[in-house]
Amino acid sequence: MTLALLALHLLLVGVLLPRRLAGSPRLQARPALGAAVWLALMASFGTGLLLAAHHLLAPLGHEPAGLVGLLPHLEPAVAPHAHDWWAPAAAGGAVAAVTAVLAARAARARRRHRETLDLVATRDRARRLLVLEDPRPAVYCLPGRRARVVATRGAVELLDERRLAAAVAHEYGHLRGRHHLVLLAADTFALLLGRLPLARLGRAEVALLLEMAADDAALARVTPGELAGALCALATAGAGPGPAGLAAASTGVLARVQRLARTPAPPTPAYRLAALAAPLLPYLLACAPHP
């Protein structure tokens, strides 16, 4: 019974819901909440997968009766069955290792790029950015403890002051929201389960929603028209992603400009509930009594 419920949960969360939620205007209306919903689904799928693996690998006659039955495995009295947890523990260790490797790789790339910028870029204190002498137009940020916002000379010459301010405000939105950490979680899930619709669609949706969240942060300083103009100008000029993957016009420009031109309906309370409850759902299913 428990395995059947967990299998249905994995099918729903891993395959069916992602296809339904991808591109949802309601999630785009509150992009920070939308990203939280996608990460909650990823956490729910991962937890469900580990619980299903435990139930499959538990020795015959020792399968715990739901969540209540899992708890005694932590007691010394049943220590002989502690080896039942080797597969879930190994999977959790693999996830932690992949996350650490991706984080370390990104940190090294940012550090090398930051060291280069310190040598060749010019600080523009009035605009709160570094100007890199490169004719290709781009505006991007380097997150971390020594965060920076960078604009190339091509972007400074392409954009007027208000549009440049919009692009810079967008990047500061990324930095204040710690969006690189959210993206790291989605990247880890996508690397481990890339063929799964939740991994494939979820990573792309999280990246787009984070861009929209940074757009919303920029709107506290500039108008939607100024921001849309900056995005279109940079995208038309061929601006690509920065080293951190968080550039003003690197992801979903058309969808973002269309969103700036309209007021999408806000998500219902059910979406907030999903963000909170989805990671706990596998545990509730594991509590299902056996026939």
Side-chain angles (χ1 to χ4, degrees):
M1 179 66 174
T2 300
L3 274 175
L5 290 174
L6 288 173
L8 286 174
H9 167 75
L10 295 177
L11 175 64
L12 176 66
V13 172
V15 179
L16 302 180
L17 272 179
R19 292 172 177 169
R20 181 70 181 269
L21 291 177
S24 168
R26 288 188 177 272
L27 291 184
Q28 292 178 2
R30 298 290 185 272
L33 173 62
V37 168
W38 281 101
L39 292 185
L41 292 178
M42 294 176 186
S44 185
F45 185 91
T47 302
L49 195 62
L50 293 178
L51 287 172
H54 174 74
H55 278 271
L56 278 172
L57 297 173
L60 186 64
H62 295 294
E63 183 180 0
L67 180 61
V68 176
L70 298 181
L71 300 179
H73 280 248
L74 303 177
E75 298 295 331
V78 290
H81 302 305
H83 65 276
D84 297 351
W85 285 94
W86 70 268
V95 172
V98 169
T99 304
V101 168
L102 290 179
R105 185 183 301 169
R108 284 195 301 270
R110 289 196 298 267
R111 183 176 64 252
R112 288 194 295 266
H113 192 73
R114 190 162 48 235
E115 291 170 351
T116 301
L117 287 173
D118 289 343
L119 293 174
V120 303
T122 303
R123 183 173 296 278
D124 188 331
R125 297 188 181 277
R127 295 182 176 124
R128 300 190 305 154
L129 55 80
L130 295 177
V131 179
L132 181 63
E133 297 298 330
D134 188 325
R136 296 170 296 180
V139 182
Y140 61 91
C141 65
L142 283 177
R145 287 186 299 176
R146 298 170 61 196
R148 287 159 170 74
V149 172
V150 183
T152 63
R153 180 62 63 184
V156 173
E157 294 176 352
L158 174 68
L159 303 174
D160 61 29
E161 283 299 321
R162 292 302 298 167
R163 290 181 176 181
L164 180 59
V168 171
H170 170 93
E171 296 308 321
Y172 275 104
H174 278 313
L175 296 178
R176 286 192 296 270
R178 309 288 186 188
H179 290 169
H180 64 294
L181 299 179
V182 181
L183 199 58
L184 174 63
D187 284 341
T188 301
F189 192 86
L191 183 62
L192 292 170
L193 298 166
R195 293 181 179 274
L196 185 74
L198 176 59
R200 177 171 44 84
L201 296 174
R203 200 283 176 193
E205 287 294 310
V206 168
L208 176 59
L209 290 166
L210 292 178
E211 292 298 331
M212 291 178 174
D215 289 342
D216 287 350
L219 293 179
R221 295 178 175 271
V222 298
T223 67
E226 290 166 343
L227 179 56
L231 295 177
C232 290
L234 289 170
T236 302
L246 295 172
S250 64
T251 302
V253 172
L254 179 58
R256 291 159 59 195
V257 170
Q258 290 175 338
R259 175 178 176 269
L260 290 171
R262 56 181 169 80
T263 304
T268 64
Y271 289 92
R272 293 181 175 84
L273 179 61
L276 294 173
L280 302 177
L281 184 57
Y283 293 107
L284 298 177
L285 296 176
C287 290
H290 292 281

